[in-house]
Structure formats: C-alpha cells, structure tokens
Amino acid sequence: MERYRELLSQTDAEVYEALAGEERRQREGVELIPSENYTYPEVLVALGSILTNKYSEGYPGRRYYGGQEYTDVIENLARDRARELFRCEHANVQPLSGSPMNQAVYLAFMKPGDTILGMDLSHGGHLTHGAPVSHMGKIFNFVRYKTIPEEAGRIDFDDLRRVAMETRPKIVLCGYTSYPRDLEYADFKRVADEVGAITMADISHIGGLVAAGVMRNPFDFGFDIVTTTVHKSLRGPRAGMVMCRKEFKKEIDKSVFPGLQGGPHMNTIAGVAITLGKALQPDFREYGAKMLSNAKALAAGLMQRDGKLITGGTDNHMLVLDTVASYGIDGRVAEETLDRVSVTTNKQIVPDDPNPPLRPSGIRMGTPAATTRGMDEADMDRLAGWIHETLTRREDDAEVARIREEVESFCRGFPVPGIE
Ligand code: DSN
C-alpha cells in the first residue's frame, strides 16, 4: 500500500495533500461526532482492493454477470455473520449506505401516499424518517410521535397509540439519529400489532451496541425489520444492511436490487464481512460496554460543570448538550468554537427547537471513535473540562490556543487505527 501512496503523491499531488491533511486532522483532534468511528485497518485493505473492479448484480448463486466465485463467498460470509450477530432470519448487505437502506424498506411495502409513523425529527428522528425536504417525505405520509424531554426522554406512548389509531400506518418505525436513550420495543410492537402495521427499527446509531449485547435487540421483541448502517458504532465501512424475518426476505431483496440499486460495492461488502467477523469476537462486548461507560462519564463531567443535557443524561453512546441553556450560544457557535481546539462535534436541533437547523440550540457528541482510540472514563472527564473551559472562555484567544495545544498533545497518546 505504501508504494501506491507514493505513486498517488507523484501523480495527483492535490488529492494526496488533502488526504494527508485529513489524516493529520483525524490523528491530532478528538472525534466526538457520535456517528463517526475509525474503521479497522483490515477494512481499509478491503476497501482499497481490486474487488472494486467487479460488477455483481443479483445475489449469491443468482448473478447477472459471470466471474462471481469469490464475490459469492464474500457476500455469503457477510450475510451469515449478520444473521448470527443480530439473531435474524435474513440479511441483505447490499445497501450502499443508510438512506438507500431505509428507502428500500419503505418502497418494498408502501405505495405513494401511504402512512408511516416515526419519531419527530426535532426529537431525534432521522432525515430518512420523513424530513419534508427528503424525497421520501414527499412520496409518503409521515406522521409523528414525540418524546418527553423532562421525563428522561421517555416516549409518549399514549400519544403514539392515539396517532396510530387515527392514521393506521403501514409501518411503525422506531430509531433515531439524536436521542440519548434506549427504546421500549415491546411497546412499539404492541401498538403496531393493534393497527396491523409492520414493525421497523432503524438501529444505525446503536448497531454496534446491539451487536455487543449491551443494548436491546429489536428482534428479541418480535420486530419484523431492522436496518443499520455499518460505519457508526459497528466500526465498519460506509454501508447499510436490512435484516428481516424470513417472510419479508423476497420483498426486501427485490426492493434493494433491482428496485433501488444496481451493482453492489463488493469491496465494501468485504469490509462489512470483516467488520461483522470482528463484532462476533468476545472482546467486542467490552468495546460496546466501554462506549456506554465513556458516554456516561462525559455526560457526568459536563453536567458537573453546569452543562444542561437533553433528557438529563444518556443510556447510549451519545449526548446532546443544550448550548443555549448552558452557555448562551447556539450550536453553530459551539461547534465552531470547539473546532478551534480540535474537538469535533456537530450542531444539533433539540426537541421543538425554536431555532433553525443551521443555528440550532445544541450540539451532539458521542464516544464510538474516542473509545476505539483507547480513551477511558478519566479521559472523558478531562475532555468535559476542556469543552467547558473552551465554551466559557471562547473570547480569550490565548486560552483557546492553550487548550488546543493541550488537546493535541493528549491526542498524540492515542494512535489512530489505520494511520501510521
Ligand atoms: N449523518 C448521520 C448522523 O450523523 O447521525 C445520520 O445519517
């Protein structure tokens, strides 16, 4: 690989310089965006491999092109490992990422105008859960349930049931992109059964935590369909998977290919197989448990220093800091200020946010990447201290420069997998 890096530096210095800069950024800063991680070096090898040369439309044993003896092995490994890890009857590992993965499910079971019940976007639901600006939001009728932030983010199941009875959704969808709690899958299932809806859980954020056995698995509560991305807490390549009970297999497979996509990215699917193989090892459970205890430590460190967290804490790998309530600044200012000390977060809307998405009231943070680097609870407390100091003393350039130096020197103690 090193030889090819040198080749790139000679043949395309512009791309090479940007790549080298990004490596520096990933090494010298603390990555707290909860949907990001550092993948395994073995996955980087698969992603950069000659598997990218191959077209493999179809599924193992039923392809539209020849030369599939090795790609079939790889895709079967990924599917088998997904089934074992998540205790499901079928897995489709071809979705290119999270959005097509969810779209494939909607398009498999619904017609334009049909109704889906999902989490309100400002309470933590994802863009693909029916944001009005998304194509899915225009094609289907998304109706909403909300959380009760003052009651530790509990979902209001009375209201959820009322909306379900009134609107008779075809799919009851749970899952989130910004919600620091676990879900009561049995309650979703009860309501879905009452209205005859399919149950779907999008566990993209917590896929690694479910795989590690430290958060609940929706299949244990009789869910029909579970989707997850592979690149977040699972630590894999950028990809999505749809897992389901066997009676949904045919519709799901047809919907992914040929319904929505053409040739699967076999280099990525090899990376998915490697990732799932790693997640089946006993030490992955420790990694999952550490993501959780690190998130609790970061949350406690921020709250001890007057940080106000949405829902008052966390039960998963992420937390949402209300920067308006805590520091009198919006999430964009907070994100940009923390960028100045090499701590990467993302601005985030909070429940029923009065502010617009590009200047929302909070920031979102999480622990998958920091945990991969080997940081622990004491490190999380130090980070909470730096975050608090930076946001409090943001006008003082000398202080900001000092904190940046401290953060970068701290980071040098934690190598990044895959970066020499
Ligand atoms: N962008 C991802 C996240 O940050 O949660 C979801 O698509």
Side-chain angles (χ1 to χ4, degrees):
M1 274 326 218
E2 275 313 300
R3 191 156 57 93
Y4 294 130
R5 278 181 72 97
E6 202 180 317
L7 182 64
L8 178 63
S9 75
Q10 287 157 7
T11 57
D12 195 332
E14 288 164 297
V15 169
Y16 178 80
E17 286 305 325
L19 176 62
E22 176 62 14
E23 279 182 352
R24 233 177 2 260
R25 191 194 69 80
Q26 291 196 15
R27 203 175 42 227
E28 289 176 3
V30 179
E31 184 51 71
L32 287 183
I33 294 175
S35 48
E36 296 192 13
N37 210 332
Y38 302 102
T39 195
Y40 302 96
E42 296 93 318
V43 169
L44 295 176
V45 170
L47 289 175
S49 75
I50 45 71
L51 282 164
T52 201
N53 300 340
K54 188 73 194 110
Y55 257 123
S56 306
E57 277 106 326
Y59 291 101
R62 287 185 56 230
R63 305 274 194 195
Y64 290 80
Y65 291 71
Q68 307 292 346
E69 55 268 52
Y70 303 109
T71 51
D72 276 6
V73 170
I74 286 166
E75 187 166 349
N76 277 328
L77 280 171
R79 295 202 297 193
D80 291 348
R81 289 174 183 177
R83 288 211 315 267
E84 184 181 346
L85 192 60
F86 289 96
R87 299 188 291 284
C88 62
E89 292 172 337
H90 178 63
N92 185 310
V93 297
Q94 293 195 2
L96 303 178
S97 204
S99 298
M101 148 196 106
N102 284 341
Q103 288 162 13
V105 178
Y106 305 154
L107 293 163
F109 301 107
M110 305 211 303
K111 295 194 196 53
D114 280 352
T115 298
I116 313 183
L117 175 60
M119 190 185 255
D120 186 277
L121 301 184
S122 80
H123 286 242
H126 185 244
L127 194 67
T128 57
H129 301 173
V133 291
S134 77
H135 290 310
M136 295 300 111
K138 294 184 180 117
I139 296 173
F140 303 117
N141 175 37
F142 282 84
V143 290
R144 304 284 173 207
Y145 54 85
K146 290 192 175 189
T147 64
I148 310 175
E150 335 35 79
E151 293 181 27
R154 177 174 78 74
I155 286 170
D156 186 345
F157 275 100
D158 292 338
D159 194 51
L160 183 150
R161 182 173 175 278
R162 183 189 58 74
V163 177
M165 298 302 276
E166 272 172 28
T167 60
R168 315 298 291 191
K170 277 209 171 154
I171 295 179
V172 169
L173 166 64
C174 65
Y176 48 80
T177 197
S178 181
Y179 177 68
R181 302 292 178 186
D182 204 354
L183 293 174
E184 302 292 341
Y185 296 107
D187 291 337
F188 285 100
K189 172 86 175 123
R190 198 170 309 118
V191 175
D193 284 351
E194 228 180 313
V195 297
I198 291 171
T199 39
M200 170 180 176
D202 174 355
I203 60 165
S204 289
H205 260 270
I206 57 169
L209 297 154
V210 173
V214 296
M215 286 187 75
R216 297 177 192 126
N217 181 341
F219 283 121
D220 293 342
F221 299 86
F223 263 56
D224 298 314
I225 293 162
V226 176
T227 59
T228 186
T229 51
V230 187
H231 49 278
K232 297 187 174 84
S233 52
L234 268 168
R235 263 195 88 179
R238 306 197 81 80
M241 305 198 295
V242 181
M243 298 170 285
C244 61
R245 282 150 34 114
K246 59 178 179 304
E247 53 266 50
F248 297 97
K249 169 181 189 307
K250 210 164 135 204
E251 280 111 325
I252 291 292
D253 283 356
K254 257 175 48 193
S255 186
V256 174
F257 171 85
L260 193 64
Q261 298 181 178
H265 295 181
M266 290 312 303
N267 56 329
T268 304
I269 292 177
V272 171
I274 293 166
T275 300
L276 300 177
K278 299 258 188 199
L280 281 163
Q281 303 304 312
D283 57 358
F284 195 77
R285 190 185 172 88
E286 285 159 39
Y287 172 60
K290 199 65 162 177
M291 279 190 268
L292 293 186
S293 57
N294 275 347
K296 282 212 185 308
L298 184 58
L302 289 167
M303 288 192 292
Q304 275 156 22
R305 295 171 174 92
D306 297 333
K308 309 272 180 304
L309 297 187
I310 300 299
T311 81
T314 179
D315 293 327
N316 59 22
H317 63 298
M318 75 165 95
L319 42 112
V320 182
L321 176 68
D322 186 330
T323 54
V324 172
S326 312
Y327 298 102
I329 52 175
D330 68 46
R332 184 174 108 185
V333 173
E335 176 197 292
E336 287 173 358
T337 305
L338 290 170
D339 271 344
R340 291 172 62 205
V341 298
S342 298
V343 172
T344 311
T345 62
N346 70 273
K347 59 181 129 354
Q348 180 62 48
I349 48 171
V350 303
D352 303 316
D353 203 328
N355 294 319
L358 283 174
R359 294 208 84 110
S361 301
I363 53 173
R364 192 181 59 149
M365 289 174 262
T367 54
T371 306
T372 296
R373 255 176 119 165
M375 295 175 191
D376 66 11
E377 294 82 351
D379 298 317
M380 293 301 115
D381 190 59
R382 287 183 80 184
L383 269 174
W386 280 318
I387 291 167
H388 174 76
E389 269 187 277
T390 306
L391 296 179
T392 318
R393 310 180 72 176
R394 61 191 177 277
E395 313 284 351
D396 184 337
D397 288 342
E399 268 305 278
V400 169
R402 176 190 63 80
I403 296 169
R404 182 186 184 107
E405 240 168 66
E406 282 184 19
V407 169
E408 292 188 352
S409 136
F410 162 80
C411 284
R412 284 193 272 279
F414 299 94
V416 173
I419 301 181
E420 299 300 320

